[in-house]
Amino acid sequence: MKFKNKVVVVAGGTSGISLATALSFANEGAKVAVLSRSQDKVDLAVAALIEVAGEALGFSADVRDIDALHNVMASVAESWGSIDVLVSGAAGNFASPAADLSGNGFKTVIDIDLLGCFNVMRAAYPHLTKPGAAILNIGAPQSWLPTPMQIHVCAAKAGIDQVTRTAAMEWGADGIRVNAIAPGPIADTEGMRRLAPTPAAEAVWTKSVPLGRYGTKEEISKVIQWLCSDEAAYISGAIIPVDGGWSLGGSSNMTMALTAK
Ligand code: NAP
Ligand code: COA
């Protein structure tokens, strides 16, 4: 019960890595709130969280809508008090060659991933526990590895790294830590269903990871939990790869994986 009675908000916490993270905090005694666009997904996530922790909050909100996020964060604080842990994991991804991508396609991913990450942090800020809160943004190795078919995601995730570092500098004075992780390919996620849609493509990805396998959602959520715990009290402004060594292979690995049929 490492997070007993701590208040945790997970943006995008209704599926995939972020839902696994929300559940892992609930398993450690936290009061967890999740938000995403789909009311159905929110309801299912809240039901799963209540089964683990007895209580949970869920909100249908789009991270592109700062006013909606101000309302979500104020509701959480009104119900449970200040927010101890904020995880920002909402994202959109699809593979597209730059020459085929419309301006609105590019903007859509920037708006969800980058503007959304800022909006989540900005709306939470007045309600964060000062000192003591931890923020964890979910980035990706595309932030430093140029990647074919991912020009929108590369730009958005690079922005998230700088938002993370800059907020760590400004909000360190409040006793707030801000970090990001960059997961490699994670099994059984929407992200990998989109980037490795065939068994052949999946095999290319797997081969390009030094550890020879995809990671699991639980492996990611454990690192997130550790980074948001007192055990990581002196880590702030860090972008930590959690990828089985995958990003060491550089852009050529990315190119092979993303262009595999
Ligand atoms: P996922 O299951 O699709 O999770 C994305 C979540 O964000 C969903 O709950 C979705 O719910 C929500 N969301 C999407 N757009 C939103 C919006 N505009 N406003 C609010 N919520 C929104 O994806 P995942 O594969 O687990 O990825 C989770 C995170 O890990 C992402 O940040 C991704 O970039 C990162 N990542 C994943 C991998 C991987 O291998 N999967 C690798 C590297 C990084 P709604 O549809 O209800 O909005
Ligand atoms: N290839 C190229 N362009 C695409 C595309 C694709 N596969 N999918 C969407 N787009 C473009 C659309 O054509 C549109 O541009 P246009 O107006 O010039 O035609 C623009 O992106 C916005 O599409 P829209 O469907 O209106 O966006 P949305 O806000 O409803 O959904 C997405 C956002 C597109 C990112 C959607 O895939 C999504 O909701 N994803 C969330 C889940 C996810 O991606 N999980 C993985 C996380 S790593």
Side-chain angles (χ1 to χ4, degrees):
M1 289 288 166
K2 283 186 199 152
F3 286 87
K4 188 145 183 62
N5 290 327
K6 295 284 185 192
V7 175
V8 176
V9 176
V10 185
T14 63
S15 66
I17 291 170
S18 303
L19 174 58
T21 299
L23 288 167
S24 77
F25 277 109
N27 262 312
E28 292 293 340
K31 298 174 180 180
V32 180
V34 291
L35 67 99
S36 82
R37 293 165 302 177
S38 154
Q39 186 68 55
D40 287 351
K41 285 172 72 174
V42 169
D43 291 345
L44 284 170
V46 166
L49 286 163
I50 287 176
E51 214 161 281
V52 173
E55 62 180 325
L57 293 173
F59 304 87
S60 168
D62 193 313
V63 295
R64 293 168 283 193
D65 180 352
I66 185 82
D67 292 336
L69 294 177
H70 280 304
N71 290 335
V72 167
M73 302 302 171
S75 295
V76 173
E78 197 180 322
S79 300
W80 290 339
S82 70
I83 298 166
D84 301 299
V85 172
L86 178 70
V87 178
S88 190
N93 195 354
F94 50 82
S96 173
D100 293 344
L101 186 62
S102 69
N104 192 41
F106 186 88
K107 178 179 184 295
T108 296
V109 169
I110 297 287
D111 283 356
I112 299 173
D113 293 27
L114 176 54
L115 176 63
C117 176
F118 171 77
N119 282 347
V120 167
M121 290 172 47
R122 177 64 188 83
Y125 178 78
H127 308 288
L128 292 172
T129 306
K130 302 180 192 75
I135 298 175
L136 189 288
N137 297 325
I138 305 186
Q142 285 94 319
S143 73
W144 68 94
L145 295 178
T147 307
M149 323 278 280
Q150 291 276 273
I151 197 166
H152 43 335
V153 175
C154 289
K157 295 293 190 182
I160 288 177
D161 288 0
Q162 285 298 70
V163 162
T164 300
R165 294 184 182 110
T166 307
M169 290 200 73
E170 289 198 15
W171 296 353
D174 296 315
I176 296 170
R177 296 184 301 111
V178 191
N179 292 297
I181 59 159
I186 305 306
D188 188 25
T189 60
E190 181 60 24
M192 289 317 293
R193 278 188 280 278
R194 290 173 181 231
L195 297 186
T198 65
E202 199 174 315
V204 174
W205 279 85
T206 303
K207 207 172 154 203
S208 65
V209 181
L211 289 183
R213 63 173 178 83
Y214 278 18
T216 66
K217 288 178 276 196
E218 290 65 33
E219 286 169 332
I220 299 297
S221 58
K222 275 184 190 158
V223 175
I224 291 177
Q225 214 175 73
W226 180 76
L227 277 169
C228 295
S229 76
D230 290 342
E231 288 173 24
Y234 203 52
I235 301 181
S236 195
I239 315 294
I240 299 185
V242 189
D243 65 357
W246 180 63
S247 58
L248 299 172
S251 285
S252 58
N253 263 352
M254 278 294 216
T255 306
M256 274 190 299
L258 262 299
T259 52
K261 295 288 176 221

